[in-house]
Amino acid sequence: MTDTGADTERAAARESARESARDEAVEAALAALDLDTKARLLGGQDMWSLPALPEIGLRSLVMSDGPIGVRGVRWTADDPSVALPSPTALAASWDPALARRAGRLLAQEARRKGVHVLLAPTVNLHRTPLGGRHFEAYSEDPHLTGEIGTGYVQGVQDGGVGTTVKHFVANDAETDRFTVDNRIAPRPLRELYLAPFEAIVRNAHPWGIMTAYNQVNGVTMTEHRHLVNGVLRGEWGFDGFNVSDWMAARSTTGDIEGGLDVAMPGPVTVYGEALAAAVRAGDVEESAVDTAVRHVLRLAARVGALEGAPPVVTEPPAAIDGDALAREIARRGFVLVRNENGALPMRPGTVALSGAAARDARVLGGGSAQVFPEHVVSPLDGLTAALPDGALTFHVGADPSDELAPADLGFTLRARCRDAEGRLLGEGSLPNGQVQWIGDDLPAGVTHETLASIEVVGTFTPRETGIHSFGTRGLGAYVLTVAGETVFDGVQTMGPETDPFEAFFGSPVERARVALTAGETVEVSLLHTLDKEFAAPLPAVMFSFVHLGPRRDPDELIAEAVEAARAADTAVVVVATTERVESEGFDRTDLALPGRQDDLVRAVAAANPNTVVVVNAGSPVELPWREDVAAVLLAWFPGQEGGAALADVLTGAEEPGGRLPTTWPVALTDVPVTDVTPVEGELDYSEGLFIGYRAWDRIQEAPAYAFGHGLGYTTWSYDSLVAGPDAATVRITNTGDRPGREVVQIYLAPRTHGPDRTHGPDRPDRWLAGFGSVEAGPGETVETRIALPRRAFEIWDEEKGDWTLVPGAYEVRAARSLTDTRLTATLEV
C-alpha cells in the first residue's frame, strides 16, 4: 500500500530544495549586475518582452495576452490560437477544476508559442452591467471570482507558465480608465474589490500581478505603495513580479517606490536610463531597484529562463485536446434560463434557424483578448452537422449591425510594405482587414523608420449577389481599388476625437458601393500612405479595410425568417451583440440588442410557439420578449467550438451546465448600480457593499434572472442539510430520467442586520459562502461537503483596520440559485 502522507512530505521536501536553489541562483545573478543593467531589465525592450542578459544566463521573458487564448507576440493568423469561451462563460460553469484544465491548455499553447507569462486572468468585478469589458471578467461576486480565478492560475502555472492577475485594483469600467480616480471606502474595497485578488494570492500563489491604469482614493495604482507593498506583498505575502498595464507607468520615482517592478511596453519607459539616473541623483534607493530585479529574476527562475535555477515545472501536464476542451467549456457554461413545456432538448423534426450571428458567429470579445483560431464552428455549422439532411433551414432574419466591419469572410488578404521610394520591404498575411501592428509586430524586414506605405491586397469572393460597400477606418491617405477600378482616392482627417486611439478605432467610413455577383472572385486593394501627423501614441500602424454585404429591406428579412419558422417544428433564433457594443476601451450606454433583433424574435415567436432563443453576448442584455418564447439559452461568447457545443445542448446530447455568474436585469432602468462616468475625474463607489445581487436585495426588486440561476435537463430533490462552523453537507437525489450535474450553492443570511433594522453591522441580506457540483444518474443520491470559510462570517472593521468575526445566528441556505432555496439550517457562530 502506498504511503500517501510520506509521498507528500517527500514531494514537499524536493520542492523546498528546488526553491532554495532558485533563490540562490537569483541572488547570484543579481549580484553580478551593475546599476544600468538592472534598470534596463525593469523596462520592456519592446511591446511584449524584457531584455535578455546572456552574461547571467537570463533569456528574454516573453508576455502575451491570454484570457481565452494565447495570441503570441504578433497580430497574425499565420500562427493560430485555440479560442476558449469568454471568462463569463467559464465562470458560469461554477467549476474551478474546469478552470484549472482551461489554464493547463493555455499553458500548453503558451509553451508552443514561446510565451513565459500570460497577461490574465481578469478578476475585476461586474460592478454594473454597463462595464464594456465584463466579458473578460468573471462575475459580480468576489467569492465566485476568486474560486474560478484560483483554478485558472493553478492550471496555467501547472504548465510552467506565469500569470499576471489583473487589473489590481478597481478597474471595473472603461470610461476614462487611464485617469479616473475611483473613490472606495475601506470596507467595500476589502470585502469586494480586493477579495478575489487576496483569495488567488493565498490559494494559487500567482507569479505575477498587473497593476491598473486607474487611481484608487487619489493614488495611481502603479504608485500605490499601501495597496501594493503594504497589502499585496505585506499582508498577503505575494512574492511575484508586478507589471504595469501597458502605458500605465508614468513616474520613475513614484512607480519604483510604489512597488512596480516592470514598466511596459518598451523600448522607452519610465525605467531604464531614467531609473538609473534617479538612483545616482539620490532620488531612489538602489535597494528598491534590487528588490524589483529580484522579483523579475524569481519569475525567470520559475519559468525556466534563468540558467542554474530549476524551473517549478520540469514535466508539463499531459497534452490536452484544445478543440475538445473548448467544446466542453462552452456547453458547461451555457445557461438555460427559461425552458417552458420541455422545449429543450429539441424534439425530432424540422428546425428553422435565423439570425445573422447563427452564420457569422461572434465567439470572443473585442480588444486585447482577441485571438485568431484556426477554425470557428458557427451555430449554422454545428446544427447542420448534427441534424438529418433536409431538417434545417437558415435565414438571416436580422443583422445586429449595419456598419462596415473589417473585411473577413470571403476575403484572402496580405499586406505589402514599402519605403518612401516604393521599394518592397516585406509582406505578411492578415487575419482580416484590420491592420494592427504595435511595436515590433511588423512583417519580416520592415521597421517603423523605413515604412512609408502599406497596401492590403487580395481577393474577395462574395457570398451574396448585390451592392457591396467598401471603406476605410483610421486616419490618413487611402487609395481603394475593387475589381480593377479605383473607387476612392482621398484622406481621412482628424474629426472631433480627442483620443488618437478613438480616431484609429472609431467609426468606419463608406467609400464606395460596388455591384458584385455571388461566387465570382474579384481583386481588391487598399493602399495606405503613412503620415507622421497622424502618428499613434506609440510605434504602431493601425487602420482597417472594411466591408458590408448587400443591405436588404429589414422587414423582408424578418418576413422570410417568419415564413420558415411557421413551417418548422422548432424555431431557433440567435441574437448577439457586436464589437461596437462589448469591447475593451469603452463602456456600454444601454443593454439593448443592436439592430432589429428584438423585432425578429417577437415575429418568429408569434409564428411558432416553440421558439428557442440563443443569446450570443458576453454580459447581460435586455430580453423584452423573454416571456413570449419557449426557451432562452445564454451562450456568452462561446469560443471556436461554440456551434458544435450548441448543437450538443439543443439536441440533448449534452446538458447545459451553466449557472448565472452575474444578475440578469429586466431593463437598464431597473439596475441599482449604473454609474461609470467620473465627475471632475472622480468616480464615487457610493453604493458601498451593495453591487450585484446584494444591491437587488437592498432595493427589494426582482431581476429577470437571479444570480446562480440555471436549468438543466433533469430534476433534483434536496434531501438533507447539515451545517457546521466549517462546512455544510448537502445530500441530493437526481429525480429525473437522465444523468445530470447540479451546482449546490450555499448562502449565508445573518439574523441581525445594520442600524436601520436591528443591531450589528450593516450587511447584505445574504451572500454566497460556498458552492460545489455533483453528478448523478437517474435515481442516484449523492452528497457534497462545501467548506464555509471563516472569512464568510467576517467583515472589515474600518476602525480596527482588520478583519473581525461577527458572532450570532446565521441561516445557512442550500440553494439552486440566490432565490431558489431548497433547505435551511441555523448556525450559531
Side-chain angles (χ1 to χ4, degrees):
M1 181 178 293
T2 302
D3 186 344
T4 56
D7 289 345
T8 300
E9 289 181 6
R10 284 192 289 270
R14 286 194 297 270
E15 176 52 32
S16 178
R18 288 195 293 267
E19 183 70 25
S20 296
R22 285 192 290 272
D23 289 343
E24 290 174 6
V26 165
E27 294 304 322
L30 177 61
L33 299 177
D34 61 25
L35 174 61
D36 292 300
T37 306
K38 289 186 289 190
R40 181 162 58 91
L41 179 60
L42 301 182
Q45 67 174 351
D46 53 28
M47 189 68 182
W48 302 112
S49 68
L50 299 180
L53 299 177
E55 62 270 30
I56 60 170
L58 175 66
R59 294 189 291 281
S60 175
L61 286 166
V62 179
M63 295 168 257
S64 172
D65 286 314
I68 59 107
V70 185
R71 188 171 62 247
V73 299
R74 294 197 176 278
W75 189 266
T76 176
D78 289 346
D79 183 15
S81 309
V82 172
L84 297 178
S86 62
T88 43
L90 185 61
S93 74
W94 288 60
D95 190 344
L98 185 64
R100 189 164 189 165
R101 291 169 56 206
R104 286 177 173 172
L105 171 63
L106 295 179
Q108 177 177 293
E109 287 280 280
R111 293 194 307 272
R112 180 175 66 81
K113 293 185 174 229
V115 169
H116 301 102
V117 181
L118 289 188
L119 304 174
T122 301
V123 300
N124 301 113
L125 297 184
H126 297 175
R127 174 178 168 264
T128 160
L130 291 180
R133 201 175 181 180
H134 280 350
F135 61 87
E136 195 181 317
Y138 292 128
S139 169
E140 67 188 29
D141 182 77
H143 179 71
L144 177 59
T145 297
E147 291 290 299
I148 299 297
T150 292
Y152 179 100
V153 168
Q154 288 172 332
V156 174
Q157 294 181 178
D158 285 346
V161 174
T163 56
T164 58
V165 187
K166 64 182 188 182
H167 308 83
F168 189 74
V169 61
N171 184 180
D172 309 302
E174 296 293 281
T175 303
D176 294 347
R177 62 177 176 158
F178 291 94
T179 57
V180 61
D181 181 10
N182 294 321
R183 311 298 292 195
I184 313 172
R187 191 174 163 205
L189 181 61
R190 290 281 188 160
E191 295 185 25
L192 296 179
Y193 303 101
L194 286 170
F197 291 94
E198 180 181 5
I200 294 168
V201 168
R202 293 190 185 278
N203 298 323
H205 309 292
W207 300 343
I209 289 280
M210 181 188 291
T211 44
Y213 294 122
N214 54 279
Q215 301 175 57
V216 171
N217 298 330
V219 182
T220 299
M221 277 310 307
T222 57
E223 304 173 33
H224 213 304
R225 188 184 311 186
H226 168 63
L227 290 180
V228 173
N229 288 337
V231 176
L232 175 66
R233 294 196 184 279
E235 292 182 26
W236 303 346
F238 173 69
D239 67 352
F241 92 121
N242 174 15
V243 61
S244 72
D245 203 343
W246 267 226
M247 298 182 294
R250 300 159 198 153
S251 166
T252 300
T253 57
D255 286 333
I256 196 70
E257 291 176 354
L260 182 71
D261 299 323
V262 172
M264 291 296 291
V268 178
T269 76
V270 296
Y271 285 169
E273 293 180 3
L275 180 57
V279 173
R280 292 190 173 101
D283 296 329
V284 171
E285 296 291 335
E286 188 168 356
S287 60
V289 177
D290 288 345
T291 297
V293 171
R294 185 176 287 111
H295 295 150
V296 173
L297 294 175
R298 182 177 294 138
L299 170 67
R302 285 170 166 166
V303 301
L306 180 64
E307 289 181 12
V312 172
V313 176
T314 54
E315 293 293 331
I320 297 172
D321 182 332
D323 293 353
L325 183 57
R327 186 170 180 168
E328 179 184 352
I329 294 172
R331 64 174 173 78
R332 293 276 298 277
F334 288 163
V335 183
L336 183 60
V337 294
R338 178 177 173 84
N339 193 23
E340 293 299 295
N341 302 316
L344 291 180
M346 294 188 303
R347 301 170 185 86
T350 56
V351 177
L353 178 66
S354 61
R359 180 188 64 188
D360 304 327
R362 186 169 185 213
V363 301
L364 45 79
S368 62
Q370 187 169 8
V371 296
F372 305 105
E374 187 174 42
H375 65 268
V376 169
V377 182
S378 69
L380 178 57
D381 296 333
L383 286 170
T384 299
L387 297 176
D389 291 345
L392 180 70
T393 62
F394 170 72
H395 292 84
V396 171
D399 197 317
S401 175
D402 59 359
E403 188 176 78
L404 283 74
D408 192 358
L409 295 172
F411 288 86
T412 301
L413 303 173
R414 294 185 65 78
R416 293 175 180 163
C417 301
R418 292 184 170 86
D419 63 14
E421 284 70 46
R423 289 186 292 264
L424 185 67
L425 299 172
E427 60 180 284
S429 66
L430 292 174
N432 53 38
Q434 181 169 315
V435 177
Q436 184 168 304
W437 297 332
I438 303 176
D440 292 339
D441 183 9
L442 294 167
V446 181
T447 66
H448 287 286
E449 291 72 26
T450 57
L451 181 61
S453 69
I454 305 99
E455 185 178 16
V456 176
V457 298
T459 61
F460 174 48
T461 305
R463 296 183 297 181
E464 300 168 281
T465 296
I467 303 299
H468 289 254
S469 298
F470 297 87
T472 62
R473 182 168 67 179
L475 304 177
Y478 297 95
V479 178
L480 174 62
T481 303
V482 179
E485 179 183 352
T486 298
V487 294
F488 175 74
D489 185 346
V491 177
Q492 176 66 40
T493 58
M494 179 77 84
E497 304 91 351
T498 57
D499 183 339
F501 276 115
E502 183 182 355
F504 281 111
F505 295 116
S507 298
V509 180
E510 181 179 278
R511 302 300 186 183
R513 297 186 177 190
V514 182
L516 299 175
T517 302
E520 293 187 7
T521 300
V522 296
E523 293 187 350
V524 295
S525 73
L526 178 66
L527 174 64
H528 176 46
T529 304
L530 300 181
D531 188 331
K532 301 301 181 185
E533 177 185 351
F534 302 126
L538 70 167
V541 178
M542 296 182 288
F543 70 97
S544 295
F545 172 32
V546 295
H547 164 264
L548 180 65
R551 281 169 277 196
R552 294 181 52 204
D553 180 83
D555 291 327
E556 289 183 7
L557 292 176
I558 291 175
E560 289 176 357
V562 167
E563 184 178 352
R566 185 175 288 114
D569 295 306
T570 302
V572 177
V573 186
V574 180
V575 296
T577 60
T578 69
E579 192 168 316
R580 302 282 283 169
V581 175
E582 291 184 272
S583 178
E584 178 180 354
F586 55 85
D587 289 313
R588 300 162 72 182
T589 57
D590 59 50
L591 302 181
L593 286 167
R596 295 283 301 279
Q597 295 182 102
D598 287 335
D599 293 338
L600 172 65
V601 173
R602 290 189 182 99
V604 168
N608 189 329
N610 196 34
T611 293
V612 176
V613 182
V614 178
V615 182
N616 185 191
S619 49
V621 293
E622 293 174 356
L623 310 175
W625 33 258
R626 69 190 186 284
E627 301 293 339
D628 302 324
V629 300
V632 179
L633 183 70
L634 308 182
W636 313 106
F637 296 143
Q640 67 179 51
E641 306 296 324
L646 180 64
D648 290 340
V649 166
L650 294 184
T651 62
E654 300 286 354
E655 184 182 42
R659 306 293 185 266
L660 282 178
T662 198
T663 304
W664 208 275
V666 174
L668 177 61
T669 52
D670 302 326
V671 175
V673 181
T674 59
D675 190 11
V676 294
T677 305
V679 176
E680 297 182 350
E682 295 184 359
L683 181 61
D684 187 1
Y685 283 37
S686 58
E687 69 282 349
L689 296 171
F690 299 96
I691 66 169
Y693 63 82
R694 294 164 169 82
W696 287 93
D697 277 349
R698 190 71 159 186
I699 64 172
Q700 297 184 349
E701 294 288 342
Y705 303 112
F707 177 81
H709 174 63
L711 307 173
Y713 287 162
T714 188
T715 56
W716 300 87
S717 69
Y718 278 57
D719 305 328
S720 66
L721 165 64
V722 178
D726 302 317
T729 301
V730 183
R731 183 185 297 268
I732 67 174
T733 300
N734 181 346
T735 55
D737 58 5
R738 60 175 287 163
R741 174 178 176 270
E742 175 74 334
V743 177
V744 180
Q745 304 163 35
I746 299 294
Y747 296 90
L748 293 181
R751 292 289 181 85
T752 57
H753 288 280
D756 293 338
R757 281 172 279 185
T758 54
H759 63 278
D762 193 15
R763 287 184 287 177
D765 288 349
R766 50 192 164 175
W767 56 87
L768 181 70
F771 60 91
S773 61
V774 296
E775 296 182 1
E780 184 179 358
T781 297
V782 290
E783 191 172 271
T784 180
R785 183 179 188 274
I786 300 170
L788 295 178
R790 176 183 170 91
R791 182 60 56 82
F793 302 94
E794 294 179 325
I795 65 166
W796 181 260
D797 189 316
E798 294 183 349
E799 291 185 4
K800 295 179 180 178
D802 201 358
W803 292 100
T804 299
L805 182 74
V806 182
Y810 291 81
E811 186 175 78
V812 180
R813 300 175 178 176
R816 299 198 75 244
S817 76
L818 180 80
T819 57
D820 186 3
T821 298
R822 296 301 178 92
L823 297 169
T824 64
T826 299
L827 181 64
E828 194 75 30
V829 175

